[in-house]
Amino acid sequence: MAPYEMLYGKKCRSPLHWDEVGEERYLDPYLVKEATEAVEKIQNRMVTAQSRQKSYADAKRRIVEFVVGDKVFLRVSPMKGVMHFGKRGKQSPRFIGLFEILDRVEQVAYRLALPVLLAETHNVFHVSMLRKHVSDPSHMLTYERMELKQDLSYEVRPVHIIERETKELKSKSILLVKVLWSKCLEREATWEWRKT
């Protein structure tokens, strides 16, 4: 019995069942042949479309394998309500942590050593959620400790003047200086009015 017939208690009015329920009427063999050819054509086109879409997906797919002990980053979903791990908003990072792989669960799933903060999260993840960490000693960052105020702001002081310039307007001239600030890079230097 077809699902439509089971739900509604009558046959679906397709080319195979033009008759009303209860009528016994045989269809023309030409009509049946035409319907089966149309179904075959639809099936062939669906196979073609599926193989085309598969080729598009396979071009982006890459084989990724990890070894026990590798360090990986975990991708967190940017969508709302899905695996935020405590980070919220559009400024939240795409990847978190640096976690060690404990073991391989399936061909494409790995168990990670998660910190106590993420103890409620299941520790097995698909390979698409992981990104390998490539360690490079030259990427070590040095940083200074910043003294933050209660409102999480910090104070900067001028270190030295990089450039001087005079801006000529119609009625007066303005003296400008490019100032390098403490705890800032040279590209973050700003132009300020020189007070005389």
Side-chain angles (χ1 to χ4, degrees):
M1 181 182 292
Y4 183 90
E5 190 176 350
M6 187 171 176
L7 282 173
Y8 299 108
K10 60 182 181 180
K11 290 185 184 291
C12 179
R13 292 181 55 86
S14 69
L16 298 175
H17 301 287
W18 286 119
D19 55 340
E20 293 297 326
V21 178
E23 278 187 35
E24 289 291 331
R25 195 173 78 189
Y26 294 103
L27 297 172
D28 185 20
Y30 175 75
L31 189 60
V32 173
K33 182 182 173 194
E34 197 175 278
T36 55
E37 286 174 357
V39 168
E40 285 177 13
K41 185 189 273 188
I42 290 169
Q43 288 174 341
N44 291 337
R45 287 184 180 172
M46 284 182 69
V47 168
T48 305
Q50 286 172 348
S51 66
R52 186 184 314 116
Q53 292 299 323
K54 184 180 183 314
S55 69
Y56 294 156
D58 288 345
K60 295 178 185 175
R61 190 171 287 134
R62 57 190 170 91
I63 298 171
V64 180
E65 289 189 4
F66 298 107
V67 181
V68 173
D70 279 355
K71 302 281 187 183
V72 293
F73 292 105
L74 179 62
R75 182 169 60 104
V76 289
S77 179
M79 293 183 287
K80 290 185 178 180
V82 184
M83 285 177 40
H84 280 292
F85 298 103
K87 310 276 185 183
R88 296 204 175 273
K90 67 179 184 179
Q91 298 297 325
S92 64
R94 301 274 184 212
F95 292 89
I96 60 168
L98 189 58
F99 306 113
E100 183 180 351
I101 292 182
L102 296 178
D103 65 328
R104 186 176 188 161
V105 178
E106 292 287 331
Q107 189 171 358
V108 290
Y110 293 92
R111 187 180 316 277
L112 301 182
L114 297 178
V116 179
L117 181 68
L118 301 175
E120 297 174 0
T121 308
H122 188 62
N123 63 352
V124 177
F125 295 95
H126 189 266
V127 73
S128 65
M129 300 286 291
L130 307 175
R131 179 169 289 177
K132 188 169 187 170
H133 171 254
V134 179
S135 63
D136 187 355
S138 66
H139 288 171
M140 295 301 284
L141 299 175
T142 58
Y143 61 92
E144 298 176 14
R145 183 173 174 83
M146 283 192 173
E147 298 298 325
L148 296 176
K149 298 178 184 175
Q150 282 295 96
D151 60 351
L152 298 179
S153 63
Y154 59 94
E155 186 178 332
V156 291
R157 295 186 179 92
V159 177
H160 71 276
I161 296 172
I162 299 172
E163 286 182 54
R164 297 173 194 272
E165 189 178 289
T166 304
K167 187 87 168 175
E168 296 294 334
L169 302 176
K170 286 182 181 179
S171 62
K172 62 180 177 177
S173 61
I174 300 173
L175 300 172
L176 298 172
V177 288
K178 192 170 187 180
V179 179
L180 178 65
W181 299 94
S182 62
K183 302 175 185 163
C184 294
L185 301 173
E186 190 169 332
R187 61 185 159 92
E188 297 171 330
T190 58
W191 286 97
E192 305 290 334
W193 287 10
R194 187 175 131 199
K195 297 178 175 132
T196 55

